[in-house]
Each structure stands twice: as C-alpha cells, then as structure tokens.
Amino acid sequence: MAPVGKLYCVPTMSQTKTIRSVCALAGLELEIPEYKHFSDNKKPEFLAKFPHGKIPALEGANGFNLTEGVPIARYLAGLAPNSGLLGSTPEDVAAVDQWVHFAELEMAMFTDVIIGMLNNYIPYSKGIHTIMTENHLRSLNTLEAHLSTRTFLVGDRITLADITVASVLQRAVGITADAAVRANLINTVRFLETIVHQPKLEAIYGPTEYTEKALQYVPPKKEKAPAPPAAPKEKKEKPKKVAEDDDEDDGNLVPEEPKEKNPLELLPKSTFNLEDWKRAYSNKDTRGADGSLEWFYANFDKEGFSVWRVDFKYNEELTQVFMSSNQIGGFFNRLEASRKYLFGSVGVLGQANASVITGVLILRGQESKAAVDCAPDFESYNYTKLDVFGNQEDKAFFEGALAWDLEVDGKKWADGKNFK
C-alpha cells in the first residue's frame, strides 16, 4: 500500500503517538521524513505548505495538507471507515468526540501549562500551578469513574478516544500523576496499560515512565557577578560599643516592597455573592418562575458587579462548530485565575464556516479588563457593557446567552460553554 502522506513531527509528542496509532490500527502506511524542529519548520518550502510553521503537519499524497493533531488523526481514521476508530453509530461518534475534546481541554492543557512553568517557558506562579494541578486531578477522577465499569471509553473496542486519552495520560503519569495520585486511579492505570501494550501500538508508545513524586518547580540559578578586586586595608580605630538596638536591622534598611493586590480585591464588599449565583444558575431552570434569571434580578448588585457582552473579533476565521466551541473552552481555561471574580456563558452561533462566537460575562467591578487580562488572548475579543435593567435589547441578549437560545443576525445558538 502506498503511503497516505508524510507526517512532519517529533516522535515523543502525544499528538504524534495518536496519529501513528490511528494509522497502525487502520492499516494505513504513513511516511515519517527526517525532520528537525525549530529549523525545518522555518524554511520557505515548509511554510509554503504549512504557513503557521506548526507540527504535527500532514502532507497528503493527494495534495491535501493539514495541521493540528486531532484533525489529522480524525481525517486519517476517516480514510478507513471499517476500522471503527470513529465509532459505529451517531451516538458512538459523538461520544468519541467528547473524550477526544476532554483529553485536549481537560487533561493535556493543564499538563502543558505545568510543564511550561516548570521549564521556565512560562513565568512561574505557585497559585496557577496549584489551580492547574487541582483541575488536572479532577479530570483524572472523572476518567477513573467512567472506566470503573468498562475496558474502553466508548463501546467494546479501541477508538480514537482511547488512543488520544492514552497518549495524553502517558505523559501525565510521568509529570503530575505521581504514585500517591495513581493509588486512587486503579482503573485509569489499567486502561493506560491496556492501550499502550496493544501489539500494534507498543512500539509507538514505548515504555511508560511513572514518576514517584510529581515534578516541582526549581528556580533557575542566578549567575554570581564577579567579585570586585579587594581594596587595600586601612587601619581604623575600633569604634566605641553602641547599644545593640542600633545595629539590629542594618541588614534590611530598605523595606521590602509589598506585594501588589489584584485591584478587584480592593473594591468595597458587594451584596451579590457570585458563588451563590453560580449555584442558582446550575440548579435552577434559566427562565420561568423561580428560575435563575429571577434570582439574578432579585440579588444583583449593580455597583459591585457589571454585565458585559463578549464578541470574538475574528469570526471570519471560524470553521467547524466543534472547533469554535473548543476555542471558547480554551479561553475559559485561561481565565482560571479570575474564577472568583467572573461568570461566563459564551456560545457558537450559526453553522460550519458561517458562525460567530458571542455571549455574556458577569464580572466584579465596572471595568472588564481587570477580570479578563489574565488570559493571554483576552484582546481577541471585544467587550461591551450591557444595561440589563434599563435596556430591553441588552436584557434580551443577556437572557438568551444564559438560556442558550440566543439568536444574532439569523444565526442560532449551536453550542456553548459556561465559566463558573
């Protein structure tokens, strides 16, 4: 069989393992050319085919080029429909997609941020490290509960869901999921061992390295400045003894600069409890008597909080609805540091290649930036303050975004995410 294409990649990447495993189980041949990262991906001939210069990158034998791990894996699995890798029923197909997205957004992302901080690619923050670790553990516990009654994630045979989750999980057990964590993940470890030791996959995954203790941050060593040449000694008269208190603080004459507080912490106390609102939204119907909207209007503090419309600036770049929904999830994940100041309901409206991302945020204070600038991509969105008490259009938009029945310019709500 002729190769279906060339895959430019780094063998140890989890996405590479997923793609190669798909081909192994689907009976597809894939050429892996020699590739040097940070060099080959900057060459004009590479950028002509893959303008973003990113790997993994598939150069199809039919002239079709594609980047990003999941789309490549899904495309290749689709070339072998009898493999069952994408699921055999509409329900199975949806469930496979669910777990693939879960692996990327609820597992891999947290691990990637932690690794980035530990390796000083991202400025280290103890608070963010703790939040990422807690969220990652929550995801592993969800996975453990699901696997407690089944061998595979979807159905009775291996699918793209199993391959993707195993690729991400194999990396996690060597970095964050240490022995103490794994003691409560018996089914998850069993699942990982089942997948990586499949005869056709064992050579692709290689040995799994389990860490005994989660990797911790080690600050980089500061280079010592060369010592200045010693000055000639001068004889000095021995000073008279002074009171001990005079020298007590000589080593710290300049007081340390106090740590800057988040400006939102300095606002006057509000009567509106954001956590109570999140519970009301989660547990009540949105519309109707005793619904969450009724609770909101009865309890909202217009001085301490504000409501904002959020719109993605580059809707012309959106393609598939599920990819746009993943983008919202990624944005929300990057807002993690503002979780106690913020609630969001944002969705994809429209259909493939004709959609927009829009929704609402309820946030502390009267300015949006202080609550959202912890996300590196916050400037990719426009923020417009809404008057949900005095403007009927603003109120209708707000309620539609919360109820997930919002319609804008003929585009209906297709999918969405909540930040709570």
Side-chain angles (χ1 to χ4, degrees):
M1 177 185 290
V4 294
K6 299 178 182 178
L7 183 69
Y8 299 91
C9 62
V10 173
T12 55
M13 289 176 66
S14 59
Q15 297 97 323
T16 300
K17 294 178 181 181
T18 298
I19 294 166
R20 292 182 61 202
S21 295
V22 164
C23 290
L25 294 176
L28 302 174
E29 187 176 338
L30 188 63
E31 183 181 346
I32 310 291
E34 185 177 344
Y35 170 82
K36 187 176 182 181
H37 198 45
F38 298 122
S39 174
D40 291 342
N41 58 316
K42 295 181 179 181
K43 294 179 179 178
E45 55 269 32
F46 187 93
L47 294 173
K49 292 176 281 193
F50 310 106
H52 199 48
K54 190 175 179 181
I55 59 169
L58 175 69
E59 183 180 1
N62 59 359
F64 177 61
N65 297 332
L66 191 62
T67 59
E68 302 292 345
V70 169
I72 293 173
R74 186 180 282 111
Y75 167 70
L76 293 172
L79 297 181
N82 293 331
S83 66
L85 289 171
L86 297 178
S88 55
T89 68
E91 291 76 17
D92 283 353
V93 171
V96 168
D97 274 349
Q98 169 191 286
W99 286 107
V100 169
H101 297 163
F102 182 87
E104 286 219 308
L105 294 175
E106 303 295 340
M107 295 176 65
M109 195 212 70
F110 300 129
T111 305
D112 289 343
V113 172
I114 291 171
I115 291 173
M117 290 194 296
L118 297 183
N119 290 317
N120 295 302
Y121 302 138
I122 302 172
Y124 184 77
S125 164
K126 177 65 175 176
I128 293 177
H129 189 176
T130 300
I131 290 171
M132 295 293 106
T133 301
E134 290 173 350
N135 286 343
H136 190 233
L137 180 58
R138 177 188 174 202
S139 300
L140 292 174
N141 288 335
T142 298
L143 184 64
E144 173 70 12
H146 184 75
L147 290 168
S148 64
T149 58
R150 46 180 62 82
T151 301
F152 303 111
L153 289 168
V154 181
D156 298 322
R157 57 187 298 183
I158 291 181
T159 65
L160 179 58
D162 302 297
I163 297 169
T164 307
V165 170
S167 298
V168 172
L169 190 58
Q170 189 184 43
R171 191 170 180 228
V173 298
I175 297 164
T176 54
D178 59 18
V181 171
R182 295 195 304 272
N184 297 313
L185 300 175
I186 298 172
N187 297 296
T188 301
V189 173
R190 180 259 307 158
F191 163 81
L192 174 62
E193 291 292 315
T194 299
I195 303 302
V196 301
H197 289 300
Q198 292 291 310
K200 293 183 179 181
L201 307 183
E202 201 160 8
I204 296 171
Y205 280 101
T208 301
E209 297 180 1
Y210 292 95
T211 184
E212 284 300 306
K213 189 69 177 174
L215 302 187
Q216 298 298 317
Y217 177 67
V218 178
K221 291 183 179 179
K222 294 182 180 179
E223 294 185 6
K224 292 184 179 180
K233 291 184 179 180
E234 294 182 9
K235 288 186 177 181
K236 292 184 179 179
E237 290 185 11
K238 190 174 181 181
K240 294 180 180 179
K241 187 174 181 180
V242 295
E244 291 182 5
D245 288 348
D246 290 347
D247 293 330
E248 191 172 303
D249 295 321
D250 282 357
N252 192 25
L253 294 177
V254 180
E256 292 184 3
E257 185 177 347
K259 291 183 179 179
E260 187 177 347
K261 284 189 175 183
N262 187 308
L264 298 176
E265 292 286 351
L266 305 177
L267 295 175
K269 188 174 181 179
S270 173
T271 57
F272 182 70
N273 188 307
L274 190 62
E275 293 306 311
D276 286 348
W277 156 247
K278 292 176 180 180
R279 281 189 287 271
Y281 181 79
S282 299
N283 297 326
K284 295 173 178 283
D285 291 336
T286 306
R287 300 185 186 274
D290 194 37
S292 60
L293 281 170
E294 183 178 297
W295 188 98
F296 174 85
Y297 291 124
N299 293 277
F300 188 65
D301 168 23
K302 291 187 285 186
E303 300 300 322
F305 284 80
S306 53
V307 179
W308 294 75
R309 172 172 174 168
V310 55
D311 292 280
F312 184 53
K313 291 181 179 179
Y314 311 107
N315 290 314
E316 68 278 3
E317 298 178 0
L318 302 179
T319 54
Q320 300 299 317
V321 170
F322 77 87
M323 295 172 69
S324 302
S325 183
N326 286 349
Q327 178 178 310
I328 298 170
F331 176 51
F332 280 172
N333 284 330
R334 291 182 286 278
L335 286 171
E336 183 63 38
S338 285
R339 186 171 293 276
K340 67 178 180 179
Y341 310 121
L342 186 63
F343 167 88
S345 183
V346 178
V348 185
L349 280 62
Q351 56 190 0
N353 301 308
S355 63
V356 299
I357 291 177
T358 188
V360 294
L361 303 176
I362 299 171
L363 53 85
R364 188 77 165 97
Q366 300 301 316
E367 298 296 331
S368 62
K369 185 177 180 181
V372 301
D373 65 358
C374 60
D377 55 342
F378 82 97
E379 291 183 321
S380 296
Y381 297 83
N382 287 317
Y383 305 89
T384 308
K385 201 174 205 178
L386 299 181
D387 178 5
V388 298
F389 288 88
N391 184 298
Q392 287 302 313
E393 287 186 6
D394 287 357
K395 181 178 181 181
F397 183 93
F398 171 68
E399 294 182 354
L402 292 185
W404 285 25
D405 55 15
L406 180 65
E407 184 173 340
V408 175
D409 297 331
K411 293 181 172 64
K412 295 183 178 181
W413 192 283
D415 197 5
K417 304 278 187 184
N418 287 129
F419 182 81
K420 55 186 180 179

